[in-house]
C-alpha cells in the first residue's frame, strides 16, 4: 500500500471539478456559493493492488511488503523497481521513492504493467483465455435494443404493444438467428424512429430515419420479388411493421398504404389458405387485416379472405393457437368483416342505379349475417367484459357536458376490440341503410343503432387519448362516428381527431374539417367514389374521396 499525494482542493471544488484557490479556511468558490468549506483534504491517498482508497487498508498477511507513507514521516519502503501482482493479473511497478516537499513523509512513483503472455509455439499467437467473454451477435444486439424499446414505455402512449401483440414475438425471432435481412432492417428503422420520438429536442418531422427507412423498403422489395422458402413470416412481419411505422412517423409523404396492403395480400395469399401459420405469422396477418380490407374497399374488389377455404383455415388457426380470449374474439371479428369490401361494392352499384332492387336484395342478404354476428358479440363477449370489469364506466372529466360517463379498459387489446366492433357495426348498418332506401323500407332501428355505437366510440376517447401517439387507428372509428353526431358532437369529433393527431401537422388527408371527414365516411361505405388526386376541393364539394 503506497501513499500518493492527493489534490489540495476542498470537497466542493473537487465535486465541481474546478480549481481551488486554497484560501483557507474558506476558499473563494465556497465563499461565493455560500458553502461551508471543508478545507484542505488529507495529504495522501493509498493504492492497494491498483485500487484507490480514501483510507489505508490493513495489509494482508499473505502479501509481500508494500510501502506505507504518511505525513508523520513513518514509512516502510522496499526497493525501487520492485513488482507486485495486482487484481486482474496486472503488475504494479515501483519506480522511485520521493521525499515530500513539506513534512517528512515519502511517496512512491508507480506504474501499472500487464503481465507477459506466452505465445503458442506453433501458431505464434497469444494463448487464448480459458474463459473468453461471450460476444453478442448483431442480431442479438438488435433484439436486445428492440426489447428495451418495448419495455421502456409500457403503459404509455409510446408503448409499441399498441401496434399489436405480434410486436412481442419479433425479438425472439431475431435472437433465434432465423430473422431475415428484411426483418432486421425493418426493426432497425423502428428502433431508430421510436428512439427519436423520445427525444424532446427533435421535432416529429425528424423522427423517421429516412436512410434506414429506404434500406428497409429496398430489402422488402427484394423479398417480395425473390421470395425465400421459410421466410414468409419475416416478410409479413416486416411489411406490417413498416405499415405501422409510416402511419405513425411518416408525416411528410404519408403512409404508402396501397403498396403495403397489396404486398401483404400477395405474400399471404401466395402461400394458400392451408399454409400453416406460426404464432408470429398469425398475429401479424390479423394485425394487418384492417389495412388490407381498406385497400380492397378502395380498389372496389372483394376480399380474397372472404372465400370459404380462407375463412375455414384462418378460423382453424385461431382455434389451435394459444391466443388470449380477447384476441381470439378480435381476430374472429376480422374474419367476419371480410364482407366489408363486398358490401361497399354493392352500394356503389346502387348509387349508379338507384332502381336496382336485385342488388339491394343481395346487399341485405350479405349484410344480415354480419349484423347477426355483431349483435351476438355485443350480447355475449362485450357483456362478459363489462361484467368482469375489463370495461367499466367512470366519470368523464374531459367533456362532462356532452358525456357524463366514459369507458375505462383493462388493456389496449380490450379497447381495440370494443371500438373496432362499434366501428364495423356502423359500417354495416350504413350499407344496409342504402339498400333499405332502394327497397323503400323504413327502418328507424338502423339509425338508432348507428348512434348507439357512435356514442360508444365517443365515450372511449378519454382512455384512447392517453394512448397517443401510437393509437393512430382509433381515428378511423372517430371518423365513422361523425355522421351520427349533432352539431355539438361534431365539434367534439373534429377536436378529438385533431387531438389524436396533434403531432402530425398536417395530417395525411389535410386538416380535419366537415368536408374531409364526410368524404372519407362516404367513400368507405360506397356512397362516393375514390379518386386518385390531392385536390382537396374534391372532398369539399362531395365529388369523391382522395386516395
Amino acid at each position: 500500500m503506497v501513499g500518493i499525494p492527493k489534490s489540495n482542493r476542498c470537497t466542493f471544488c473537487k465535486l465541481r471539478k474546478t480549481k481551488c484557490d486554497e484560501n483557507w479556511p474558506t476558499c473563494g468558490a465556497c465563499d461565493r456559493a455560500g458553502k461551508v468549506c471543508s478545507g484542505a483534504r488529507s495529504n495522501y491517498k493509498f493504492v492497494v493492488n491498483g485500487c484507490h482508497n480514501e483510507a489505508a487498508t490493513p495489509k494482508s498477511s499473505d502479501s509481500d511488503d508494500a510501502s506505507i507513507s504518511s505525513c508523520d514521516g513513518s514509512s516502510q519502503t522496499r526497493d525501487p523497481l520492485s513488482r507486485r501482482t495486482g487484481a486482474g493479473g496486472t503488475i504494479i511497478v515501483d519506480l522511485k521513492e520521493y521525499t515530500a516537499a513539506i513534512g517528512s513523509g515519502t511517496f512512491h512513483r508507480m506504474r501499472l504493467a500487464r503481465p507477459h503472455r506466452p505465445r503458442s509455439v506453433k501458431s505464434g499467437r497469444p494463448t487464448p483465455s480459458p474463459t473468453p467473454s461471450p460476444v453478442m451477435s448483431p442480431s442479438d444486439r438488435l433484439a436486445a435494443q428492440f426489447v428495451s424499446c418495448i419495455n421502456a414505455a409500457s403503459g404509455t402512449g409510446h408503448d409499441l404493444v399498441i401496434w399489436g401483440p405480434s410486436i412481442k414475438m419479433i425479438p425472439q425471432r431475431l435472437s433465434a438467428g432465423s430473422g431475415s435481412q428484411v426483418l432486421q432492417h425493418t426493426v432497425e428503422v423502428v428502433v431508430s424512429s421510436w428512439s427519436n420520438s423520445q427525444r424532446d429536442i427533435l421535432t416529429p418531422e425528424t423522427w423517421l430515419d429516412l436512410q434506414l427507412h429506404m434500406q428497409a423498403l429496398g430489402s422488402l422489395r427484394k423479398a417480395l420479388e425473390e421470395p425465400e422458402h421459410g421466410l414468409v413470416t419475416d416478410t409479413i412481419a416486416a411489411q406490417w411493421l413498416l405499415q405501422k411505422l409510416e402511419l405513425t412517423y411518416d408525416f411528410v409523404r404519408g403512409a404508402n398504404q396501397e403498396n403495403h396492403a397489396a404486398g401483404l395480400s400477395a405474400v399471404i395469399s401466395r402461400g394458400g389458405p392451408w399454409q400453416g401459420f406460426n404464432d408470429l405469422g398469425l398475429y401479424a396477418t390479423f394485425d394487418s387485416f384492417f389495412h388490407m380490407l381498406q385497400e380492397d374497399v378502395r380498389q372496389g374488389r372483394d376480399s380474397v379472405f372472404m372465400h370459404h377455404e380462407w375463412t375455414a383455415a384462418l378460423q382453424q388457426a385461431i382455434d389451435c393457437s394459444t391466443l388470449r380470449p380477447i384476441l381470439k374474439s378480435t381476430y374472429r371479428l376480422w374474419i367476419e368483416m371480410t364482407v366489408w369490401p363486398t358490401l361497399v361494392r354493392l352500394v356503389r352499384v346502387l348509387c349508379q342505379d338507384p332502381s336496382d332492387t336485385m342488388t339491394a336484395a343481395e346487399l341485405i342478404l350479405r349484410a344480415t349475417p354480419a349484423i347477426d354476428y355483431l349483435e351476438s358479440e355485443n350480447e355475449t363477449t362485450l357483456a362478459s367484459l363489462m361484467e368482469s370489469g375489463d370495461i367499466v364506466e367512470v366519470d368523464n372529466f374531459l367533456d362532462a357536458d356532452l358525456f357524463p360517463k366514459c369507458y375505462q379498459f383493462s388493456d389496449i387489446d380490450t379497447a381495440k376490440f370494443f371500438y373496432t366492433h362499434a366501428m364495423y357495426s356502423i359500417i354495416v348498418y350504413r350499407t344496409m341503410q342504402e339498400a333499405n332506401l332502394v327497397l323503400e323500407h323504413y327502418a328507424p332501428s338502423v339509425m338508432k343503432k348507428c348512434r348507439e355505437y357512435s356514442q360508444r366510440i365517443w365515450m372511449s376517447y378519454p382512455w384512447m387519448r392517453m394512448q397517443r401517439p401510437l393509437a393512430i387507428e382509433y381515428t378511423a372509428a372517430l371518423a365513422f362516428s361523425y355522421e351520427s353526431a349533432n352539431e355539438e358532437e361534431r365539434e367534439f369529433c373534429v377536436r378529438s381527431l385533431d387531438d389524436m393527431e396533434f403531432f402530425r401537422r398536417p395530417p395525411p388527408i389535410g386538416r380535419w374539417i366537415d368536408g374531409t371527414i364526410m368524404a372519407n365516411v362516404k367513400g368507405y361505405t360506397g356512397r362516393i367514389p375514390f379518386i386518385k388526386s390531392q385536390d382537396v376541393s374534391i372532398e369539399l364539394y362531395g365529388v369523391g374521396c382522395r386516395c
Side-chain angles (χ1 to χ4, degrees):
M1 180 170 62
V2 181
I4 299 178
K6 294 177 64 173
S7 169
N8 284 331
R9 290 181 296 178
C10 68
T11 303
F12 180 65
C13 290
K14 184 174 182 180
L15 290 175
R16 295 180 60 195
K17 297 182 179 179
T18 58
K19 184 177 180 180
C20 182
D21 61 10
E22 303 181 11
N23 186 19
W24 318 123
T26 301
C27 71
C30 290
D31 184 44
R32 289 189 295 271
K35 300 287 184 179
V36 177
C37 187
S38 64
R41 297 167 60 85
S42 58
N43 290 338
Y44 298 95
K45 64 180 176 180
F46 295 87
V47 178
V48 180
N49 293 340
C51 300
H52 293 252
N53 298 286
E54 290 297 323
T57 305
K59 184 176 65 173
S60 175
S61 60
D62 58 350
S63 64
D64 53 355
D65 292 338
S67 174
I68 306 176
S69 302
S70 62
C71 294
D72 59 3
S74 61
S75 63
Q76 299 174 2
T77 62
R78 55 188 176 140
D79 296 336
L81 302 178
S82 61
R83 298 177 176 229
R84 297 184 60 213
T85 302
T90 57
I91 299 174
I92 302 177
V93 182
D94 192 350
L95 298 177
K96 189 175 181 180
E97 180 180 358
Y98 292 87
T99 302
I102 301 176
S104 57
T106 60
F107 60 92
H108 286 243
R109 180 184 175 191
M110 313 188 74
R111 177 172 62 86
L112 293 178
R114 294 183 178 275
H116 174 72
R117 291 181 177 272
R119 294 182 175 272
S120 173
V121 177
K122 293 183 179 180
S123 62
R125 297 179 179 178
T127 304
S129 173
T131 55
S133 58
V135 179
M136 184 176 290
S137 66
S139 59
D140 286 339
R141 188 180 302 109
L142 180 61
Q145 292 174 347
F146 199 36
V147 170
S148 177
C149 293
I150 294 173
N151 296 334
S154 179
T156 70
H158 290 275
D159 189 349
L160 286 170
V161 178
I162 294 175
W163 281 355
S166 53
I167 202 84
K168 292 184 176 180
M169 297 185 175
I170 294 176
Q172 183 179 2
R173 181 83 176 178
L174 291 172
S175 61
S178 55
S180 63
Q181 188 179 58
V182 62
L183 186 59
Q184 291 180 7
H185 288 168
T186 302
V187 172
E188 285 176 2
V189 67
V190 170
V191 169
S192 173
S193 301
W194 184 91
S195 300
N196 288 339
S197 71
Q198 305 301 299
R199 300 172 63 185
D200 295 335
I201 61 174
L202 296 180
T203 59
E205 291 79 7
T206 61
W207 288 353
L208 182 64
D209 190 317
L210 295 179
Q211 183 176 357
L212 292 178
H213 184 219
M214 294 304 297
Q215 175 181 267
L217 288 176
S219 298
L220 177 61
R221 191 180 301 110
K222 182 178 179 181
L224 293 174
E225 293 174 352
E226 304 174 4
E228 298 183 34
H229 179 70
L231 296 180
V232 175
T233 296
D234 287 4
T235 306
I236 295 174
Q239 198 143 21
W240 166 74
L241 270 178
L242 281 172
Q243 191 172 57
K244 296 293 185 182
L245 175 81
E246 292 176 359
L247 280 170
T248 308
Y249 297 128
D250 190 1
F251 312 109
V252 180
R253 296 183 296 111
N256 191 7
Q257 297 183 42
E258 182 176 344
N259 290 339
H260 286 316
L264 280 165
S265 298
V267 172
I268 297 171
S269 59
R270 185 186 297 154
W274 302 104
Q275 58 187 286
F277 291 97
N278 58 24
D279 286 344
L280 177 57
L282 184 66
Y283 277 67
T285 297
F286 280 107
D287 287 341
S288 309
F289 239 64
F290 175 67
H291 304 289
M292 290 190 288
L293 294 179
Q294 269 189 317
E295 179 59 18
D296 290 333
V297 169
R298 287 191 291 267
Q299 297 299 326
R301 65 193 178 207
D302 295 343
S303 172
V304 67
F305 303 111
M306 71 172 293
H307 300 298
H308 175 71
E309 284 191 353
W310 272 106
T311 56
L314 292 172
Q315 185 65 54
Q316 179 177 329
I318 294 173
D319 294 338
C320 296
S321 68
T322 57
L323 297 170
R324 295 173 55 207
I326 187 63
L327 289 177
K328 287 188 175 182
S329 297
T330 303
Y331 293 167
R332 291 191 183 104
L333 176 62
W334 290 121
I335 294 176
E336 292 295 328
M337 293 318 302
T338 53
V339 73
W340 175 24
T342 302
L343 297 179
V344 172
R345 178 178 59 80
L346 294 174
V347 170
R348 288 175 181 166
V349 175
L350 292 180
C351 291
Q352 295 174 358
D353 184 6
S355 62
D356 190 349
T357 57
M358 293 294 292
T359 301
E362 181 184 357
L363 197 157
I364 293 289
L365 186 65
R366 289 182 178 273
T368 300
I371 288 292
D372 292 341
Y373 176 81
L374 290 167
E375 292 301 325
S376 173
E377 285 293 281
N378 182 43
E379 296 172 359
T380 55
T381 305
L382 287 175
S384 175
L385 290 171
M386 291 181 179
E387 289 178 2
S388 63
D390 291 311
I391 303 175
V392 296
E393 286 191 18
V394 297
D395 292 332
N396 184 8
F397 298 104
L398 284 179
D399 297 276
D401 295 338
L402 284 175
F403 317 109
K405 297 289 184 179
C406 64
Y407 289 111
Q408 291 282 336
F409 305 96
S410 59
D411 53 41
I412 187 63
D413 294 331
T414 303
K416 277 187 176 181
F417 176 75
F418 184 80
Y419 74 72
T420 302
H421 176 274
M423 179 182 70
Y424 274 133
S425 298
I426 295 171
I427 291 173
V428 178
Y429 275 116
R430 289 294 180 196
T431 58
M432 183 177 283
Q433 183 183 19
E434 295 300 312
N436 288 335
L437 291 175
V438 172
L439 298 175
E440 299 181 351
H441 290 169
Y442 179 68
S445 61
V446 172
M447 297 296 295
K448 183 179 179 181
K449 284 291 185 181
C450 286
R451 180 162 180 81
E452 175 187 338
Y453 287 114
S454 296
Q455 287 179 329
R456 289 188 177 185
I457 294 173
W458 301 333
M459 292 171 65
S460 305
Y461 169 71
W463 194 88
M464 292 303 303
R465 185 177 182 272
M466 296 186 294
Q467 313 307 312
R468 298 175 303 171
L470 298 189
I472 198 66
E473 291 179 355
Y474 174 70
T475 56
L478 272 175
F480 279 110
S481 70
Y482 182 83
E483 192 172 4
S484 300
N486 57 34
E487 184 177 354
E488 192 176 8
E489 291 164 345
R490 288 193 174 192
E491 292 178 359
F492 160 78
C493 288
V494 173
R495 188 170 63 251
S496 300
L497 285 167
D498 286 338
D499 197 26
M500 288 298 295
E501 295 190 342
F502 75 98
F503 59 96
R504 308 183 76 206
R505 300 295 187 204
I509 63 171
R511 185 172 178 269
W512 287 108
I513 57 176
D514 179 81
T516 57
I517 298 173
M518 286 303 301
N520 278 267
V521 172
K522 290 182 178 180
Y524 283 103
T525 51
R527 289 173 281 173
I528 60 174
F530 285 95
I531 301 176
K532 287 186 175 296
S533 174
Q534 294 302 315
D535 186 3
V536 70
S537 63
I538 292 174
E539 296 179 347
L540 296 180
Y541 292 108
V543 176
C545 179
R546 292 177 292 166
C547 66

